[in-house]
């Protein structure tokens, strides 16, 4: 690469290679290159771009993660307007739509329709010039949208450069599609927001919209946004030959590397359309993203043009909406529930109402901000929405039906269970009871957790019985459970001699548990199953765990200062240590983690990096510890091995610089099994 021309060529080649491998990885889920090879290509591109800024193009794959803050959103006029859709709410509406079309296309008895799920996301226009993503905009008012190019570039399934020969692309094309967030990612983002005291999103659509309208593109980059292309705006045909149908457009998009919904189908007539609707309705629940209906589009593009549009919606397309899964009901009571670690959640109890085939009678309300936002009160008539298996949600209050004497719900000052003073830590949206196990509600919840399936797993000890035991003051702490006798429970509601014997037997049989489950059962804040497993593997026995200090804890992968703080708070409270010792003296036996010492990894210091395809990272780590290896989180001269998976990142470079032995996933598994 001596002369300038070959540098430019290499930059272009790097774009192509990187784009292709990124597409295979992100969109097709089929990686075609080792991660370190990908990183090498990327680094080469970065170096060339730094040395030769004249070859740093906006569409370079290096320009995806925008770091610059935007100072607002520029208004941009769409070349072709972005239309909206008319709705059909039932089969008759759909038949009318089909008839209007047949009446206008003389001499036809039926038309083909492209049938597509109607994604509940945000419409986005992508303008590609010579195959490069030039600008991305929101729909806005249909004529003028907002420039969100920097944010859209962070969505890694949207190609910055289309796949194929430049001569095959139209000079300019406006590609219409939907940016959305999957249901599981939406839940995860909301949980994160709750934890950090930020506002939650009401639904996945709002989450996608909020993520795209960010002035800081690195925030957008951190949100797991997805994209499907579904339509076309302006095209400058030039040498490019336009496909003949909507379905072919989608196929072409797919070949260019743009994600297209795989559930798209062609229907021969209106009956086929109805069949498609039934099919998609049956799939709706299991789809990873939310849809609110299906869209039918006349497949033939010439016919579309001849049908034209009325006001802002085309005559050739319609949205067939799912029946709304909402119902109206009356709130009988709003009460406050105390969680295991003291969080107070408002719960609305209403007259049972059938929503989409399921009878619901209560909904939890995120927090008090949400009560205030909705201004919901006891006695109110409310609209309730049920979405799949999500907890029912109150979406609005019918103020016209509000009684004159209703009063606003104010946050309780005292814990509804133990009456102690509640507090709301700075920046937290959640009110808390700080009485810990002295609070009966927290006591019940903690005991329910202690005996639950992934903790002590005590058969026959369900929520109701635990609550009864606490209420009758038969069990005041974890240790009391193991002191229970048949005569204590035999007279309780619902018990007889046999069931009382069975319960006591299963409690006694449950005394031997793996250390990880024992730690998990203690219910320490931030210590879920995975963290409990890490703690067990690192400390190996209960005595060492009780003696843990901050340095020991922070040394453990996956345990940060927050979890470590809660663990120390637990261990430093003498009452807790005493309680654990009492459990041990009652014969509770947390099984020590067994370690073998005859593996090549035994007593070696190992770092893991990247993601693995044949073994979960956490399991790999667990198995390494089981053969006596020390797994730490950063590479140093003391590291014996680095095990690399996909996308290894900077640890790989550091390890090679230090001359540390590097093992791939397969090699590491072989050694573990040796
Ligand atoms: S076509 C002229 N296809 O629904 C055609 N829209 O209610 C306009 N949408 O703004 C849109 N999935 O954001 C089309 N497969 C799909 C769609 C879809 C979701 C959204 C789109 C549009 C809104 C209209």
């Amino acid at each position: 690469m001596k002369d300038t021309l070959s540098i430019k060529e290499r930059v272009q080649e790097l774009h192509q290679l990187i784009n292709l491998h990124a597409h295979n990885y992100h969109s097709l889920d089929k990686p075609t290159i080792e991660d370190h090879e990908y990183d090498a290509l990327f680094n080469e591109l970065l170096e060339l771009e730094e040395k030769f800024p004249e070859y740093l193009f906006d569409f370079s794959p290096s320009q995806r993660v925008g770091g610059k803050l935007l100072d607002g959103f520029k208004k941009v006029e769409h070349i072709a307007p972005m239309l909206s859709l008319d709705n059909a709410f039932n089969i008759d509406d759909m038949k009318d739509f089909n008839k209007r079309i047949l009446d206008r296309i003389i001499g036809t008895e039926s038309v083909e329709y492209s049938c597509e799920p109607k994604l509940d996301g945000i419409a986005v226009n992508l303008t590609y010039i010579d195959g490069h993503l030039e600008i991305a905009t929101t729909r806005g008012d249909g004529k003028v949208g907002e420039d969100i190019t920097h944010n859209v570039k962070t969505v890694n399934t949207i190609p910055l450069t289309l796949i194929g020969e430049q001569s095959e692309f139209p000079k300019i094309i406006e590609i219409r599609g939907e940016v959305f967030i999957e249901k599981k990612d939406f839940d995860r983002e909301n949980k994160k927001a709750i934890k950090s005291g930020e506002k939650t999103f009401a639904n996945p659509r709002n989450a996608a919209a909020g993520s795209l309208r960010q002035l800081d593109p690195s925030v957008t980059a951190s949100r797991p946004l997805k994209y499907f292309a579904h339509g076309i705006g302006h095209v400058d045909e030039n040498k490019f030959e336009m496909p003949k149908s909507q379905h072919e457009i989608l196929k072409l998009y797919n070949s260019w590397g743009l994600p297209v919904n795989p559930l798209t189908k062609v229907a021969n007539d209106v009956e086929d359309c109805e069949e498609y609707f039934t099919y998609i309705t049956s799939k709706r629940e299991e789809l990873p993203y939310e849809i609110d209906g299906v869209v039918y589009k006349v497949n033939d593009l010439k016919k579309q043009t001849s049908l034209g549009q009325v006001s802002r919606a085309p005559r050739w397309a319609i949205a067939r909406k799912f029946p709304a899964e909402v119902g109206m009901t009356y709130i009988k009571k709003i009460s406050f529930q105390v969680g295991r670690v003291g969080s107070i959640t408002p719960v609305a109890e209403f007259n049972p109402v059938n929503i989409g085939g399921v009878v619901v009678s209560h909904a939890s309300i995120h927090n008090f901000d949400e009560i205030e936002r909705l201004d919901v009160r006891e006695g109110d008539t409310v609209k309730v929405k049920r979405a799949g298996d999500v907890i029912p949600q109150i979406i609005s209050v019918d103020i016209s039906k509000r009684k004159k004497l209703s009063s606003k719900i104010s946050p309780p000052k005292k814990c509804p269970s133990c009456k102690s003073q509640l507090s709301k830590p700075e920046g937290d949206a959640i009110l808390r009871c700080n009485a810990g196990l002295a609070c009966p509600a927290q006591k019940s919840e903690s005991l329910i957790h202690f005996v639950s399936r992934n903790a002590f797993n005590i058969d026959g000890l369900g929520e109701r019985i635990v609550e009864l035991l606490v209420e009758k003051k038969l069990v005041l702490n974890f240790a009391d459970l193991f002191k229970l006798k048949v005569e204590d429970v035999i007279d309780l509601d619902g018990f007889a001699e046999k069931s009382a014997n069975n319960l006591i037997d299963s409690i006694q049989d449950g005394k031997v548990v793996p250390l990880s489950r024992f730690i998990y059962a203690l219910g320490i804040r931030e210590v879920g199953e995975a963290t409990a497993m890490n703690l067990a593997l690192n400390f190996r026995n209960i005595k060492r765990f009780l003696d843990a200090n901050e340095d020991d804890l922070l040394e453990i992968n996956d345990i940060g200062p927050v979890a470590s703080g809660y663990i120390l708070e637990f261990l430093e409270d003498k009452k807790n240590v005493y309680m654990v010792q009492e459990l041990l003296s009652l014969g509770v036996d947390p099984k020590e983690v067994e370690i073998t010492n005859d593996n090549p990894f035994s007593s070696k210091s190992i770092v893991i990096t990247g993601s693995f395809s044949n073994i979960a990272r956490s399991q790999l780590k667990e198995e390494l510890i089981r053969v006596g290896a020390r797994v730490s989180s950063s590479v140093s001269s003391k590291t014996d091995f680095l095990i690399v998976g996909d996308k290894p990142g900077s640890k790989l470079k550091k390890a090679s610089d230090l001359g540390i032995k590097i093992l791939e996933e397969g090699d590491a598994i072989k050694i573990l099994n040796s």
Side-chain angles (χ1 to χ4, degrees), residues 267-518:
N268 292 321
D269 49 33
V270 69
E271 282 78 29
D272 270 9
C273 288
E274 198 52 22
E275 212 172 279
Y276 180 79
F277 184 71
T278 313
Y279 169 69
I280 295 294
T281 306
S282 72
K283 296 275 273 192
R284 182 181 180 187
E285 205 81 359
E286 69 191 59
L287 293 180
Y289 43 80
E290 287 213 347
I291 56 173
D292 56 353
V294 304
V295 183
Y296 300 118
K297 300 171 188 169
V298 169
N299 197 28
D300 185 316
L301 295 188
K302 271 213 190 101
K303 291 192 175 117
Q304 285 190 2
T305 316
S306 74
L307 285 161
Q309 67 184 72
V310 234
S311 89
R312 297 165 73 190
R315 284 205 189 87
W316 44 264
I318 200 154
R320 169 87 147 94
K321 294 295 222 25
F322 291 132
E325 290 196 289
V326 293
M328 298 298 289
T329 185
Y330 167 87
I331 297 196
K332 294 198 284 195
K333 195 172 180 329
I334 295 181
S335 54
F336 304 101
Q337 245 171 28
V338 189
R340 181 165 59 82
V341 288
S343 54
I344 309 288
T345 313
V347 177
E349 201 186 305
F350 30 75
N351 275 347
V353 54
N354 187 322
I355 305 179
V358 175
V359 177
V360 293
S361 58
H362 63 267
S364 59
I365 309 171
H366 285 328
N367 52 39
F368 288 93
D369 290 353
E370 186 69 0
I371 290 205
E372 221 152 81
R373 190 181 70 80
L374 294 162
D375 184 23
V376 53
R377 305 176 185 191
E378 285 182 351
D380 271 351
T381 299
V382 290
K383 194 187 255 182
V384 179
K385 179 176 150 192
R386 193 185 69 84
D389 46 11
V390 181
I391 302 168
Q393 203 190 352
I394 296 174
I395 43 178
S396 60
V397 175
D398 183 348
I399 302 284
S400 71
K401 296 213 170 75
R402 175 168 285 168
K403 299 198 183 76
K404 280 221 174 66
L405 285 175
S406 83
S407 52
K408 268 190 180 289
I409 299 283
S410 40
K413 298 222 162 15
K414 293 193 167 147
C415 171
S417 174
C418 72
K419 310 284 177 261
S420 70
Q421 201 72 24
L422 298 178
S423 72
K424 189 168 159 185
E426 186 83 15
D428 199 340
I430 290 168
L431 209 55
R432 289 185 185 282
C433 162
N434 300 306
L437 293 181
C439 167
Q442 289 185 62
K443 193 178 291 168
S444 290
E445 291 295 323
S446 300
L447 278 160
I448 291 167
H449 174 79
F450 187 82
V451 299
S452 66
R453 205 161 54 87
N454 300 327
F456 270 74
N457 190 22
I458 295 179
D459 254 2
L461 201 46
E463 284 187 26
R464 200 187 53 81
I465 300 175
V466 171
E467 277 161 7
L468 199 61
L469 293 171
V470 172
E471 188 192 310
K472 300 279 177 206
K473 301 211 165 35
L474 287 164
V475 174
L476 300 177
N477 56 41
F478 299 152
D480 287 347
L481 264 182
F482 299 97
K483 294 182 197 157
L484 278 179
K485 295 195 186 63
V486 174
E487 45 282 25
D488 296 329
V489 287
I490 199 162
D491 294 331
L492 291 179
D493 254 9
F495 277 93
E497 192 177 337
K498 188 160 189 292
S499 49
N501 270 304
N502 286 347
L503 178 63
I504 302 304
D505 284 351
S506 79
I507 294 177
Q508 294 301 320
D509 289 348
K511 279 178 171 173
V512 183
V513 283
L515 177 61
S516 56
R517 281 170 174 257
F518 182 91

Side-chain angles (χ1 to χ4, degrees), residues 231-279:
I232 194 159
H234 170 83
V235 252
D236 188 340
E237 288 189 45
N238 234 353
K239 280 185 222 141
F240 167 76
E241 202 181 321
M242 250 317 250
K244 302 270 174 289
S245 70
Q246 163 74 5
H247 198 65
E248 283 167 40
I249 289 182
L250 297 183
K251 282 210 279 202
L252 179 67
Y253 284 171
N254 209 235
S255 74
W256 285 347
L258 286 153
V260 168
N261 195 319
L263 293 171
T264 303
K265 289 217 163 64
V266 176
N268 292 321
D269 49 33
V270 69
E271 282 78 29
D272 270 9
C273 288
E274 198 52 22
E275 212 172 279
Y276 180 79
F277 184 71
T278 313
Y279 169 69

Side-chain angles (χ1 to χ4, degrees), residues 82-85 87 116-124 139 177-178 205 230-231 246 292 295 297 313-314 316-317 319 321:
M82 285 178 85
L83 303 177
S84 59
L85 290 169
N87 293 320
E116 305 160 19
K118 185 171 185 301
L119 272 149
D120 204 5
I122 297 300
V124 167
R139 178 173 180 277
E178 207 79 0
R205 192 188 138 80
H230 57 54
Q246 163 74 5
D292 56 353
V295 183
K297 300 171 188 169
W316 44 264
K321 294 295 222 25

Side-chain angles (χ1 to χ4, degrees), residues 159-227:
L160 301 185
T161 300
L162 301 176
I163 298 174
E165 285 302 314
Q166 210 181 56
S167 57
E168 294 167 8
F169 303 133
K171 178 82 191 143
I172 303 176
I173 181 167
E174 287 183 318
I175 293 174
R176 308 277 156 84
E178 207 79 0
V179 168
F180 59 97
I181 185 165
E182 292 193 347
K183 297 175 196 165
K184 67 170 183 348
D185 292 326
F186 165 72
D187 288 340
R188 197 177 311 134
E189 291 298 313
N190 263 356
K191 279 194 188 127
K192 270 203 258 168
I194 290 175
K195 251 191 183 169
S196 55
E198 287 165 37
K199 277 216 158 59
T200 50
F201 294 109
N203 54 48
R205 192 188 138 80
N206 287 1
S211 305
L212 281 180
R213 288 195 91 265
Q214 280 288 337
L215 289 173
D216 180 355
S218 70
V219 174
T220 314
S222 75
R223 306 268 167 83
L225 297 175
K226 299 268 157 68
Y227 172 80

Side-chain angles (χ1 to χ4, degrees), residues 601-633:
F601 285 144
S602 302
S603 59
K604 294 283 189 271
S605 169
I606 298 178
V607 176
I608 311 177
T609 182
S611 56
F612 297 86
S613 31
N614 294 312
I615 187 167
R617 195 187 155 97
S618 54
Q619 198 196 340
L620 174 60
K621 195 177 147 203
E622 194 181 315
E623 302 211 349
L624 286 167
I625 294 173
R626 280 189 200 284
V627 299
R630 277 189 352 105
V631 182
S632 53
S633 46

